[in-house]
Amino acid sequence: MKTFIRRIAALCALTLAAATVHAAFPERPITIVVPYAPGGAADTVARMVASRMGAKLGGSVIVDNRAGASGTIGASYVAKAPADGYTMLYDATPHSINPHLFPKMPYAGTALQPLSLVLLAPNVLIVRGDAPYKNVGELIAKAKAQPGKINFASGGSGTVQRLAAELLRQKLGLDMVHVPYKSGGPAIADVMGGQVDFMFGTIAATYPLVASGKLRALAVSAPERSKRLPDVPTVAEAAIPGYEAYEWNGMFLPAGVPAPIAAQLHKAVADVLQEDEVRQRLADLGAQPMGSTPGEFAAFLKQEDAKWGEVVRKGAIKLD
C-alpha cells in the first residue's frame, strides 16, 4: 500500500512539474520561420502576426526568413526542429504544391502539424490597361480561336499564379503558352508592357496598377467577388462555374509539440486574427482573415493537396 501511495505521489509531482513548465511557456524568444524572401506578402503578414503574438504570450516572437527551393528549405528546418513550441512555420500555398513537383521532399509530410489557417487571398486575372480584352470571355474566345497564340506569365511553376492559369486552361481545354519568370514583379511588368497577354497576380501587388489604369482586372479567382475589387466578376460567374484558386497562409509546428503549448500558441494566433486593425490591414491586401482549428486546417490542406496534385499531373508540370 505504501509503495502504491509513493507511486501516486510521484505521478502527481511529475504532472505538477509538467503543468508548471507549460504554464511558464514561453521562457525564451519564439521564432516564426518564413520560408520566403523578406518583403513578400507572406513575410509582411507573418511579421504583423508575430509582433502581436508576442504581446499575447508575454514574450518575444521573431521572424526568421529561410528562403529557397520554393519554400522547402525553411519548412524542412522547422520539420526537424525540437518539438518544444519555440519554432513555428508560417507557410503559404506552395506548401501544397511542392510535394507534386519535387522528386523527393526534404522532410516527411507528417513532420509538421497544422496549427491554424491565417488567411485566404484570391488572385486576379490581369491584362495590360489598353488590351483588346474587356472581359475574361473575350480573352477565352481569342485563346479558342487562335490555339497556341495566347501566353500567360507567372512567378514560377511552383506558384499558385501558375497553377491558377493552368487550372483555367485545363477546365476549358485551351492551348496556351506559359512564360515563367523568377518572381512576380517582372511578370507583372511584362504583362503591363504587352510582352505577355495575361497572368494571375495577387491583389496586393496589382491593385495600384489596376486603379491607375496601367492594368485591367478581368476576373478574380475566388468564388465570391473581392471587396477590394467589387466590380470585377469572379472566374466562376464569368466563365467556369465552380472555379476557385486561393493563395493561403497558415501556421505549422513541428510534429509532437505538447498539447498545452500548442493550444497556447493557437489561442495567440486566433486572438491576433480577431483584432480590428489586423483584419483591416489584411482586407487592404485583398485577403480574408481566417483562423481555424488545427483539424479544420488539416482538412483544408488535404483538399488543397488533392486539387493541385491533379492539376500538376494533368498538366505534366515540372520545376522551371
Side-chain angles (χ1 to χ4, degrees):
M1 185 66 178
K2 290 181 179 179
T3 301
F4 175 74
I5 293 173
R6 282 197 296 269
R7 286 179 178 174
I8 293 296
L11 180 60
C12 289
L14 286 172
T15 302
L16 179 61
T20 302
V21 170
H22 293 156
F25 179 86
E27 296 179 309
R28 63 179 190 272
I30 296 170
T31 298
I32 296 178
V33 173
V34 176
Y36 309 104
D43 177 68
T44 299
V45 178
R47 290 179 184 278
M48 177 176 63
V49 172
S51 65
R52 287 163 170 79
M53 277 185 68
K56 305 289 184 188
L57 293 166
S60 176
V61 181
I62 62 175
V63 171
D64 179 17
N65 296 90
R66 291 179 177 263
S70 194
T72 59
I73 291 176
S76 178
Y77 175 84
V78 176
K80 297 170 184 177
D84 55 13
Y86 287 97
T87 307
M88 307 177 70
L89 173 68
Y90 189 93
D91 212 342
T93 316
H95 183 92
S96 297
I97 299 171
N98 289 333
H100 307 288
L101 289 176
F102 284 83
K104 184 177 181 180
M105 289 289 286
Y107 62 93
T110 55
L112 292 168
Q113 64 184 63
L115 185 67
S116 177
L117 183 63
V118 172
L119 65 82
L120 292 176
N123 284 279
V124 56
L125 194 163
I126 52 169
V127 297
R128 73 178 191 272
D130 61 350
Y133 322 111
K134 299 297 189 293
N135 55 62
V136 70
E138 292 180 0
L139 175 65
I140 290 170
K142 177 69 175 293
K144 288 181 175 179
Q146 298 184 12
K149 297 297 183 181
I150 295 293
N151 55 23
F152 63 93
S154 81
S157 290
T159 63
V160 70
Q161 290 82 21
R162 157 68 164 116
L163 295 192
E166 179 63 24
L167 181 61
L168 180 110
R169 188 195 71 76
Q170 290 179 13
K171 292 283 189 182
L172 296 174
L174 302 175
D175 180 5
M176 302 187 297
V177 179
H178 175 226
V179 182
Y181 290 76
K182 290 186 176 181
S183 64
I188 292 172
D190 275 6
V191 172
M192 192 163 53
Q195 288 86 1
V196 187
D197 291 300
F198 79 95
M199 73 173 286
F200 281 90
T202 65
I203 292 177
T206 60
Y207 179 81
L209 298 171
V210 170
S212 68
K214 295 179 180 179
L215 290 173
R216 179 182 298 145
L218 300 187
V220 294
S221 65
E224 306 87 19
R225 294 193 181 199
S226 168
K227 292 180 180 179
R228 194 72 165 147
L229 297 167
D231 296 328
V232 178
T234 67
V235 174
E237 66 180 288
I240 308 172
Y243 178 98
E244 65 176 75
Y246 281 109
E247 185 82 50
W248 60 260
N249 287 186
M251 287 278 201
F252 298 81
L253 297 172
V257 170
I261 291 178
Q264 195 171 342
L265 292 168
H266 180 270
K267 184 178 186 306
V269 174
D271 288 349
V272 167
L273 293 176
Q274 289 301 313
E275 293 185 12
D276 291 340
E277 183 181 355
V278 171
R279 298 180 75 83
Q280 185 57 56
R281 287 183 64 182
L282 291 178
D284 291 343
L285 294 172
Q288 178 183 353
M290 296 301 293
S292 70
T293 66
E296 289 168 344
F297 189 24
F300 171 82
L301 290 170
K302 186 176 181 179
Q303 293 175 345
E304 287 287 285
D305 177 79
K307 177 172 69 178
W308 296 126
E310 182 179 12
V311 172
V312 169
R313 286 190 295 273
K314 282 186 176 181
I317 297 171
K318 307 294 182 184
L319 289 171
D320 298 325

